[in-house]
Amino acid sequence: MPTSNAKKSRILTGIQPSGDMQLGNYLGAVKHWVMNQDIQTNFIPVVDLHSITVKQDPEELSRNTLSLVAMLIACGVDPEKSTLFIQSHISAHAVLSWILNCTTPVGWLERMIQYKEKSHNQERVSTGLLTYPILMAADILIYDADEVPVGEDQKQHVELTRDIAERFNNLYGETFVLPKAVVPKVGARVMGLDNPSLKMSKSYAHIRGHAISMLDDPKEIDRSIKRAVTDSFNEICFSSDKERAGVNNLLGIYQVITGKTFTEVENDFNDARGYGDLKSRVSEVVISEIEPIQKRYHELINNSPELESLIQKGDDLAKQYADPKLDVVLGKVGLHRNGHSGV
Ligand code: TYM
């Protein structure tokens, strides 16, 4: 049992500003960051450098970055409790990333599932897409984070981060904390409503009925859930059967939002008359969760000076941790620092 003076775990976790945040990001990640921000020290960068590993419209990227900061705060990330900042504003991330590029074997990167998925069928794949997990490792290691709360899809990258840290420590002496991924028991993999065999993702946001954007209006949310793919079993229960993945997904969404146990969730649907009822009730809880978030978002996004000043505060705090850590690393590697040395 942790006591009141037990050391808080240090968390680092990031989110990309490519497109609007979707329900999977919220339920698999952001909601958990918010729930734990009183008992952990949270560092939350909006990882714009990761976004440019695939082509972005520059104006849109800049707009989306501010919009994501507003959305994270609207979801409950409290800048007084969590250090919320923009990755590209802290140049130490990119410098550390380069150093780790030089110690990481390329074969480790080629094995990454996300790289294989994203580069599949692409005519031109940027080097950045391959080295993406090294930048992610730099994000984590520069804050000495011991835990990294992520959805299931990012677990492999966090495991690679441990290997990268271990290798550096072996080469240059004890420098980095070995972090571990923390994946939630429910909601870690919210699936596409149109295709429950695929993870809900911003990359498929152009496909109608695939994802729920946190900025969709309630009618659109209701339409997407009502159109969700189910099955012909007509039985409302959790199941690992692939053919029942659609119903399982809807129940999972309901469960994360209500915070109920598996049995309580199934009991809630004892009196339901078929999948129509299931969808109506899921739609109700999703809308009542998202509506107040949207209201706060719209208030915040119309006050960009306030947002800019919150970002500045987050950046300043992040630098206080990242810059001295980078100095230590530069010293270990033997890069000249005008009198500074980390050795
Ligand atoms: P990103 O921006 O794709 O997603 C942000 C977070 O949302 C989770 N997530 C999901 N969880 C459940 N179901 C889904 N359908 C779903 N889709 C996304 C992701 O697992 C993630 O936790 N590479 C990272 C960003 C990153 C990062 C980091 C994360 C950069 N540096 C350092 C942790 C630590 C990414 O692209 O997340």
Side-chain angles (χ1 to χ4, degrees):
M1 271 297 267
T3 58
S4 54
N5 57 3
K7 188 176 162 278
K8 282 184 171 181
S9 5
R10 186 176 291 189
I11 301 301
L12 182 126
T13 192
I15 179 163
Q16 293 193 59
S18 16
D20 292 338
M21 192 201 285
Q22 42 88 9
L23 190 68
N25 298 129
Y26 176 66
L27 297 182
V30 178
K31 197 170 162 66
H32 304 273
W33 308 344
V34 172
M35 283 190 305
N36 291 328
Q37 65 188 341
D38 285 320
I39 53 163
Q40 297 170 338
T41 305
N42 279 354
F43 287 90
I44 307 179
V46 167
V47 293
D48 50 353
L49 293 173
H50 277 103
S51 286
I52 60 167
T53 53
V54 293
K55 196 169 179 303
Q56 303 287 334
D57 175 78
E59 271 178 34
E60 219 171 276
L61 176 62
S62 173
R63 231 187 357 261
N64 284 343
T65 302
L66 200 64
S67 164
L68 183 54
V69 171
M71 179 52 81
L72 288 168
I73 298 173
C75 288
V77 173
D78 179 349
E80 293 294 326
K81 295 178 180 169
S82 296
T83 304
L84 179 59
F85 63 102
I86 312 279
Q87 180 193 38
S88 67
H89 295 182
I90 315 296
S91 44
H93 290 231
V95 178
L96 178 59
S97 175
W98 175 255
I99 293 171
L100 298 175
N101 261 280
C102 299
T103 57
T104 305
V106 74
W108 290 6
L109 303 170
E110 285 164 340
R111 281 201 293 274
M112 292 296 108
I113 296 166
Q114 199 175 75
Y115 172 69
K116 288 188 197 160
E117 281 173 0
K118 287 197 174 174
S119 58
H120 182 66
N121 280 341
Q122 296 290 326
E123 225 173 83
R124 282 200 202 120
V125 176
S126 74
T127 312
L129 198 61
L130 179 67
T131 57
Y132 174 115
I134 300 185
L135 178 58
M136 195 165 149
D139 296 340
I140 298 167
L141 299 177
I142 205 151
Y143 297 96
D144 288 324
D146 31 41
E147 290 183 7
V148 186
V150 281
E152 181 72 41
D153 62 323
Q154 296 299 320
K155 196 168 161 219
Q156 193 189 31
H157 288 160
V158 182
E159 285 161 1
L160 178 72
T161 298
R162 280 180 77 86
D163 293 340
I164 292 174
E166 210 165 11
R167 187 178 175 92
F168 187 96
N169 288 350
N170 287 337
L171 288 169
Y172 294 104
E174 216 46 47
T175 310
F176 294 124
V177 171
L178 305 191
K180 71 168 195 289
V182 180
V183 177
K185 288 198 180 70
V186 277
R189 202 168 167 78
V190 176
M191 309 308 281
L193 297 173
D194 62 326
N195 178 354
S197 67
L198 269 185
K199 182 195 78 162
M200 185 181 283
S201 164
K202 282 176 256 186
S203 320
Y204 309 118
H206 57 283
I207 302 174
R208 229 168 138 231
H210 168 78
I212 291 175
S213 154
M214 295 298 286
L215 289 173
D216 279 348
D217 77 72
K219 278 194 194 125
E220 181 64 30
I221 296 174
D222 189 57
R223 256 197 305 271
S224 301
I225 294 178
K226 297 275 167 66
R227 267 202 305 260
V229 167
T230 49
D231 54 57
S232 54
F233 293 94
N234 219 14
E235 204 183 344
I236 305 177
C237 58
F238 286 101
S239 166
S240 54
D241 184 343
K242 272 191 192 151
E243 288 179 55
R244 298 187 184 202
V247 170
N248 197 61
N249 191 36
L250 291 174
L251 289 174
I253 291 172
Y254 181 91
Q255 183 177 23
V256 192
I257 294 177
T258 59
K260 295 187 176 181
T261 64
F262 288 94
T263 317
E264 285 167 345
V265 170
E266 288 182 347
N267 286 345
D268 276 0
F269 293 97
N270 278 343
D271 64 340
R273 280 165 298 153
Y275 291 160
D277 263 4
L278 166 69
K279 289 178 175 177
S280 297
R281 293 187 202 174
V282 173
S283 170
E284 257 169 49
V285 296
V286 171
I287 291 170
S288 57
E289 178 87 358
I290 289 186
E291 261 183 336
I293 293 176
Q294 293 186 344
K295 192 166 170 277
R296 282 198 297 275
Y297 168 84
H298 289 298
E299 286 160 11
L300 284 159
I301 201 69
N302 288 324
N303 189 353
S304 49
E306 156 104 18
L307 275 181
E308 297 289 1
S309 120
L310 289 172
I311 292 170
Q312 185 65 55
K313 262 168 81 181
D315 289 351
D316 291 345
L317 210 57
K319 269 194 197 123
Q320 282 177 29
Y321 288 88
D323 288 351
K325 182 74 187 186
L326 180 65
D327 262 345
V328 171
V329 176
L330 295 169
K332 295 246 176 176
V333 178
L335 300 170
H336 184 250
R337 299 297 294 149
N338 272 340
H340 293 276
S341 166
V343 190

